[in-house]
Amino acid sequence: HLALHQMSYEGLSKEEKHKLAIKKIARLFGANQNKDSDVEKRILQQILRQTNEKAVADIARSRLAVLQCDESSESDSDSDAEELPNLAPAADPCTAAPHPAAASATHICSKAPSLHDKLRAVVREEMKAPDELMCKSYWSSLVSTQVPTTSALMSQEPTLALKNPALDREVGPLPARAMGVLDMEPTPRFSLCKESGSGKEGEVGGAWDVDPSKLRHPGYMMTAPSGQLPKDWWSDSQGVCIASLALAARALRDAGWPPVFIFMFDSAWKLLDPLFDVAGRILGCREGEQVVLEPSFFAWALSPLSQPRPSPNSAVNKGLRGEKVVTQSEIGNNFGLPHRDYSYTDSWMQHPAGKEKENDEAGLVCVWIPLVDTSLDNGSLSFLPREFDPYWSDPEHPSHLLPASTLPDTPSITEVRFPLGGLRPVCALAGSALAWAGNTVHMGSACSSSASVDPRVSVACTFRKPGWGELCGAILPNISREEARSMNSARRFQLISQSLLLYSQWYSIPKQLPMF
């Protein structure tokens, strides 16, 4: 908007000025696409990654909503609909009320609303998801059909061995208490007991090894239960089978559902429950304080970039013969650009003096849990320790929220604004957790086509100290532990919808979803 209004080229139409403004901004933000709308979307996504001002983020999300609506209308309508005004304000994907100037957008989308529109309507409680998607039977049959061995999860046998169809090897026994992975009823209260290790009685996370000082230096840490393999701890203590969750995430992906829909299953929420304790210890919560979960979480199920995946209608046991080739921008696949999830200001409660940053207290922590063992080949995470990050605590610097970006004329080349040699890959066992300060630079690595182990499957979320604000752009509030334990299917679907919208700055929302 500023670029357009500051230009004063006489004799040019509004549309011509708009195109020139886009080209001018594109040089700054690394856009190089054929369509003006694609260029503008890329610019807006880059702005969302860089800005720490809510007003700017709101404008960018509003404009993206109009572009999405316009794109959907062009693909779904045979008639020549009236073009949307390029600069008309629009509804925020999650928060803002419809603006009068976006009335034409509403008119155009009324015939065939895009998936983006449907998700936003679900979040704002303007529409409900189909009843079929609220039923246990739909998700159970979906997973068991796509991955035949997963049907064993519904068996009443006390112990079953689960095989990975890709490698034809056993991935471990499933205890009887892990059979509820597909249980879709509201999750009952978990029984909490005193565990070994540090922590207070009643905190299941007390069994985890935690060093809060690492959140400040180097800015990240690995944490896991003490005394046994993480996946065994989950099975024995929480009744969660990590291996079956990984298989279910892949099944969702192959059936056309983003892996984040794993959060329709109880076991995904049971996976998060002990992390309330772990996050509270990392953030130094006082007695009586309980962290809250941000209403945005995600899941990944990687595929080798050069390997085609099965189409939603193909059987897994017929081999990987699908027509679709995986790209990094596909939702649920790796995001390989070094980035910060939050600015320093968003991540740390600053000391009153303003300059003594070593006394600042962390206000949030990001947590990532691999559901398979990660290696250098199958998609590990890498972190930039604070000592190598010149802008770690400098939120005013332009490179603080843009540590890396693609070059304007060569999108395949990334410009990095930190010492590349400082990056540290971290391999983790399934069921362990990586935690980092919101302002720590990190990135995911792609899965190699020659990896000897399964591609990475993982979930991630963010915990906040009580009173440490709400997530910018979210309409649904933070989630308490009690709410997470008793959430029904409709609320889960609503939160997943919001997560897809909020992550749309990193991944393109699919054109459609099955049954929705």
Side-chain angles (χ1 to χ4, degrees):
H1 288 233
L2 288 175
L4 177 62
H5 292 303
Q6 289 175 359
M7 297 173 68
S8 57
Y9 301 116
E10 295 185 4
L12 295 181
S13 66
K14 182 178 180 180
E15 290 74 18
E16 290 171 329
K17 290 182 180 180
H18 179 71
K19 290 181 179 180
L20 287 175
I22 286 178
K23 291 178 181 179
K24 184 174 182 180
I25 303 175
R27 299 191 191 102
L28 299 176
F29 289 99
N32 185 23
Q33 304 288 336
N34 295 326
K35 289 184 176 181
D36 285 341
S37 61
D38 291 338
V39 174
E40 187 174 2
K41 285 168 65 177
R42 186 176 175 87
I43 292 169
L44 292 168
Q45 289 167 350
Q46 289 281 20
I47 290 173
L48 283 172
R49 295 170 190 168
Q50 183 177 0
T51 186
N52 59 358
E53 296 184 21
K54 185 178 185 303
V56 175
D58 287 345
I59 292 173
R61 290 193 181 97
S62 297
R63 180 60 186 155
L64 280 171
V66 169
L67 292 175
Q68 183 77 21
C69 189
D70 188 30
E71 187 178 84
S72 173
S73 301
E74 290 177 358
S75 61
D76 295 338
S77 176
D78 295 330
S79 61
D80 295 330
E82 180 183 356
E83 184 178 358
L84 289 177
N86 275 331
L87 296 180
D92 187 299
C94 286
T95 57
H99 191 282
S104 59
T106 303
H107 173 72
I108 292 177
C109 287
S110 60
K111 182 176 180 180
S114 67
L115 177 59
H116 189 282
D117 298 324
K118 293 179 181 178
L119 294 173
R120 185 171 67 244
V122 167
V123 172
R124 298 174 61 183
E125 299 183 345
E126 296 174 350
M127 70 170 285
K128 293 182 179 180
D131 292 339
E132 294 87 343
L133 300 182
M134 301 299 105
C135 296
K136 169 183 175 180
S137 58
Y138 173 80
W139 299 97
S140 299
S141 61
L142 176 70
V143 175
S144 61
T145 299
Q146 291 297 311
V147 180
T149 52
T150 309
S151 62
L153 295 174
M154 302 302 292
S155 171
Q156 299 303 313
E157 295 293 329
T159 304
L160 293 169
L162 196 66
K163 287 190 175 183
N164 184 315
L167 300 180
D168 193 29
R169 61 178 174 81
E170 291 189 357
V171 295
L174 297 181
R177 71 178 104 186
M179 299 302 169
V181 67
L182 299 180
D183 183 11
M184 294 299 300
E185 298 303 320
T187 309
R189 261 179 208 276
F190 305 125
S191 64
L192 306 182
C193 59
K194 183 176 181 180
E195 299 286 347
S196 59
S198 60
K200 300 174 184 179
E201 184 172 355
E203 292 185 350
V204 292
W208 289 56
D209 294 322
V210 172
D211 184 357
S213 65
K214 290 185 177 179
L215 201 63
R216 192 182 304 275
H217 292 285
Y220 62 95
M221 72 185 78
M222 181 185 295
T223 177
S226 57
Q228 62 183 138
L229 287 174
K231 64 180 181 180
D232 293 338
W233 182 88
W234 283 108
S235 176
D236 296 342
S237 175
Q238 303 300 300
V240 175
C241 180
I242 297 296
S244 51
L245 268 177
L247 288 176
R250 294 192 187 107
L252 289 169
R253 176 200 65 191
D254 293 340
W257 290 95
V260 69
F261 280 90
I262 194 69
F263 283 96
M264 290 299 293
F265 299 124
D266 287 349
S267 284
W269 291 94
K270 290 182 180 180
L271 187 72
L272 299 186
D273 186 76
L275 301 179
F276 277 85
D277 293 333
V278 176
R281 292 172 57 200
I282 293 174
L283 294 174
C285 288
R286 301 172 180 83
E287 186 171 359
E289 286 186 325
Q290 180 63 264
V291 298
V292 292
L293 177 67
E294 270 193 359
S296 173
F297 36 77
F298 217 63
W300 295 261
L302 272 58
S303 294
L305 292 182
S306 60
Q307 175 180 308
R309 281 208 282 97
S311 63
N313 296 323
S314 63
V316 173
N317 57 9
K318 291 183 179 179
L320 300 176
R321 305 299 184 192
E323 299 178 355
K324 189 173 184 179
V325 177
V326 177
T327 61
Q328 289 208 37
S329 61
E330 180 181 339
I331 196 164
N333 210 43
N334 181 57
F335 184 75
L337 188 70
H339 63 282
R340 306 181 203 271
D341 294 327
Y342 304 87
S343 69
Y344 181 88
T345 305
D346 291 332
S347 305
W348 295 84
M349 301 177 176
Q350 298 182 42
H351 189 271
K355 298 181 179 180
E356 302 176 37
K357 294 187 181 296
E358 289 303 315
N359 293 325
D360 292 349
E361 298 180 12
L364 57 81
V365 59
C366 305
V367 181
W368 178 87
I369 309 100
L371 302 181
V372 299
D373 295 346
T374 62
S375 69
L376 297 180
D377 288 333
N378 76 338
S380 60
L381 290 191
S382 294
F383 294 89
L384 182 67
R386 181 178 179 178
E387 63 177 307
F388 297 109
D389 187 350
Y391 312 118
W392 195 85
S393 58
D394 187 4
E396 303 302 322
H397 196 281
S399 295
H400 179 69
L401 281 176
L402 197 65
S405 62
T406 55
L407 293 181
D409 299 324
T410 315
S412 61
I413 298 178
T414 301
E415 180 180 352
V416 178
R417 301 176 182 87
F418 58 83
L420 189 58
L423 275 177
R424 297 291 187 265
V426 179
C427 299
L429 293 175
S432 61
L434 295 178
W436 61 88
N439 58 311
T440 295
V441 173
H442 60 285
M443 62 175 285
S445 60
C447 178
S448 169
S449 58
S450 60
S452 59
V453 293
D454 296 336
R456 184 230 303 169
V457 180
S458 56
V459 299
C461 59
T462 300
F463 293 93
R464 289 177 177 256
K465 270 188 172 180
W468 187 239
E470 301 280 345
L471 176 63
C472 178
I475 188 172
L476 301 177
N478 293 329
I479 306 165
S480 69
R481 192 175 195 173
E482 291 303 313
E483 182 183 0
R485 289 173 172 177
S486 58
M487 194 177 298
N488 61 26
S489 298
R491 188 63 166 179
R492 291 176 184 178
F493 197 95
Q494 195 179 21
L495 285 163
I496 292 169
S497 299
Q498 176 167 268
S499 296
L500 286 171
L501 290 170
L502 292 170
Y503 271 82
S504 64
Q505 61 178 300
W506 309 108
Y507 299 99
S508 298
I509 292 179
K511 294 287 186 182
Q512 60 183 7
L513 292 175
M515 303 284 294
F516 184 60

